[in-house]
Amino acid sequence: MHPAVGASDDTTRAAAEELPGFRFVRHEELTWREVISRDDYIGRWTTVSSFLVADEPRRAEMLADVHRVLDEHVDTAGRAELDLPHLTDVYLYRRA
């Protein structure tokens, strides 16, 4: 649903590139889940930068899209609480 992330998420690709003065050591992916209420999930959407910079008609469209997905998707339809998966990329570098 995030407008900045498409079918493939390249938002962390730059982190694996060489950093001046540092040596890449390793990369770890941490997966975890958060139980969040539907209302809190929708509220979180109102803090996303692409939402904040959008004009009112686009904000209304984005919120309508979020509601539609929550109402129609088999994993979220009719649920007051959602099981929200997260993926955190951790990169370790050492001074060169």
Side-chain angles (χ1 to χ4, degrees), residues 10 13-14 18 26 58 64 66 75 84 91:
D10 291 333
R13 173 176 276 159
E18 289 299 315
R26 78 172 191 256
R58 179 67 182 127
V66 171
D75 292 334
L84 185 62
Y91 292 86

Side-chain angles (χ1 to χ4, degrees), residues 8-84:
S8 70
D9 179 4
D10 291 333
T11 57
T12 60
R13 173 176 276 159
E17 296 175 5
E18 289 299 315
L19 299 174
F22 292 88
R23 177 179 52 85
F24 174 77
V25 176
R26 78 172 191 256
H27 166 245
E28 296 284 336
E29 288 186 351
L30 306 174
T31 58
W32 52 286
R33 297 194 173 281
E34 173 185 13
V35 176
I36 186 171
S37 74
R38 178 187 166 112
D39 289 342
D40 285 344
Y41 181 77
I42 292 168
R44 189 175 291 176
W45 264 98
T46 65
T47 68
V48 173
S49 59
S50 54
F51 179 86
L52 293 171
V53 300
D55 60 21
E56 277 305 314
R58 179 67 182 127
R59 285 182 184 184
E61 182 182 334
M62 291 170 83
L63 283 177
D65 287 345
V66 171
H67 281 281
R68 180 183 48 75
V69 168
L70 293 178
D71 290 340
E72 296 176 3
H73 195 278
V74 65
D75 292 334
T76 56
R79 295 184 59 195
E81 287 190 333
L82 309 173
D83 189 25
L84 185 62

